[in-house]
Amino acid sequence: MFEREANLEVDVEIRDDLTAVLTVGGELDMETAAGLEDRLSEQFGQGRRRLVLDLSALDFMDSSGLNVLIRAVNRVRESGGDLYLAAPTPAVRRILEITGVTMTIPPYDGVADALAAAVAAG
């Protein structure tokens, strides 16, 4: 499943009934944030409660992207699941750290680490 919207690319890989990995690439900003939010909502609507976001190809993220992450983590945690961030680029990691998002959603070095944390959490 591959979708391109403006300067955002989102590839969804279903791991099991509860887990999906969304690889996000390009730019996550005011123009593209709704696209990612829609993709996350699709997965949530299909019962997936362990969502891993692979940010290794994400070049840029602004406050609109941060808001999508915060809304998504709140929604999934209300249902007993969690959102896992994997391999953010240095520029994206800096935004996450400056804004304190890493305190709420700690990033993992890679997708494998994030998936291991998701499985361990149940």
Side-chain angles (χ1 to χ4, degrees):
M1 236 195 239
F2 183 77
E3 190 171 299
R4 182 172 175 84
E5 179 181 315
N7 292 323
L8 182 72
E9 299 173 14
V10 181
D11 184 29
V12 179
E13 179 186 347
I14 307 305
R15 290 298 183 113
D16 59 43
D17 289 343
L18 296 176
T19 312
V21 176
L22 289 83
T23 302
V24 184
E27 299 176 3
L28 183 54
D29 56 23
M30 189 169 65
E31 287 184 28
T32 62
L36 178 58
E37 193 156 28
D38 290 346
R39 297 307 295 272
L40 288 165
S41 290
E42 286 171 13
Q43 296 309 309
F44 190 77
Q46 293 175 12
R48 294 195 181 81
R49 300 293 182 261
R50 295 187 297 233
L51 303 176
V52 175
L53 294 184
D54 177 358
L55 305 179
S56 61
L58 189 63
D59 300 319
F60 174 80
M61 180 170 57
D62 70 6
S63 62
S64 300
L66 289 170
N67 286 328
V68 169
L69 297 182
I70 292 166
R71 283 192 299 272
V73 76
N74 288 337
R75 183 175 180 192
V76 76
R77 285 180 179 170
E78 285 174 2
S79 68
D82 214 342
L83 181 74
Y84 302 86
L85 304 180
T89 59
V92 171
R93 182 181 287 270
R94 180 155 167 73
I95 292 283
L96 295 169
E97 289 172 349
I98 288 171
T99 58
V101 171
T102 56
M103 301 296 285
T104 304
I105 317 169
Y108 292 86
D109 289 336
V111 172
D113 294 332
L115 284 168
V119 169

